Each structure stands twice: as structure tokens, then as C-alpha cells.
Amino acid sequence: MAVSPLSSLNLAVIAGELPADPVRRELTDGRHIVQFDVATTTPDGDRRVPVAWSDPPRAHAELSAGVQVVVVGWVQRRFFRSAGVTQSRTEVVAASVARRRQWRSVERSITAAVQSLDEFEAER
């Protein structure tokens, strides 16, 4: 699994709970995006991290409010126009999403992320 382009380091691992059901959207080019927030706790308090998952496998159908997940991906800021105004959104683009109780899947995702880090360091 390619976590992010190795020309720079951009890696995110988020663990938390889905506070609401994911929203599935079809883009004009035919791709599907599943968008959801992951509720996490930090030393500064509770946070919601927006996540976008492009063309997810059918397993995303299991995801619903209250499910604990681990997301591995990278951070992206995207710009879009809405009501004639340019807006931006910073989100985690998911390379993989696993239910937290599916330890093997979580372990594989994190192992792939660590391997990407090793490859990044080797290229430097």
C-alpha cells in the first residue's frame, strides 16, 4: 500500500470513534468518496478529524456511528468553489480504514505506513 508520495513525508494515523454515519458521494468523474469524521481526544480536548476515503472497498458499509476505527493516510488541504466563493478544507485522505477490533488489518496498515517511513528515510 502506498501511503503517500515519498518525495515528502506526510503521514497520519488516527484512532477514534465515528460520531455519525459516513456520507457516500459520487463525483462527476464516476469515483466514489466516503466522508466521515473521527472523534479523538488530545491533551487540548476532544477533536473531530475529517476523513475522505476514495473508492473504498465494500467493507465501508460496516462503518456507522459509534464504530471505533483506525485510519492510515495523509493530510491534504483542498480548495473548492461553493456559492461562488473559494473555500478550503483540511482533511485526512485515507489509504486504509479498519475497525479498531480488527487487529490484523490495523497491524497491516500501520506496518505498511512504517515501511513507507523507512523507504522515505532510505531515499534521503
Side-chain angles (χ1 to χ4, degrees):
M1 169 185 77
V3 174
S4 66
L6 295 178
S7 60
S8 63
L9 181 59
N10 182 349
L11 175 66
V13 178
I14 308 294
E17 181 177 301
L18 277 76
D21 289 341
V23 175
R24 181 180 174 98
R25 301 184 193 289
E26 184 172 352
L27 303 178
T28 56
D29 63 5
R31 293 182 303 133
H32 290 94
I33 298 286
V34 173
Q35 294 176 306
F36 53 92
D37 287 345
V38 177
T40 64
T41 302
T42 68
D44 296 331
D46 294 340
R47 302 280 187 256
R48 287 189 177 198
V49 179
V51 176
W53 194 11
S54 182
D55 291 322
R58 290 194 183 261
H60 87 278
E62 302 177 1
L63 300 180
S64 60
V67 170
Q68 295 281 327
V69 295
V70 176
V71 177
V72 177
W74 57 92
V75 178
Q76 166 184 283
R77 184 171 181 200
R78 64 181 172 88
F79 295 88
F80 56 95
R81 294 201 47 90
S82 178
V85 178
T86 300
Q87 299 182 6
S88 70
R89 178 177 171 105
T90 301
E91 61 197 358
V92 172
V93 177
S96 68
V97 177
R99 292 179 74 123
R100 204 167 181 173
R101 66 184 177 148
Q102 295 173 323
W103 294 110
R104 288 189 180 164
S105 183
V106 169
E107 183 179 23
R108 279 192 303 271
S109 296
I110 292 174
T111 297
V114 170
Q115 288 173 346
S116 292
L117 290 173
D118 289 342
E119 292 170 9
F120 176 78
E121 286 300 314
E123 287 183 356
R124 294 183 88 200

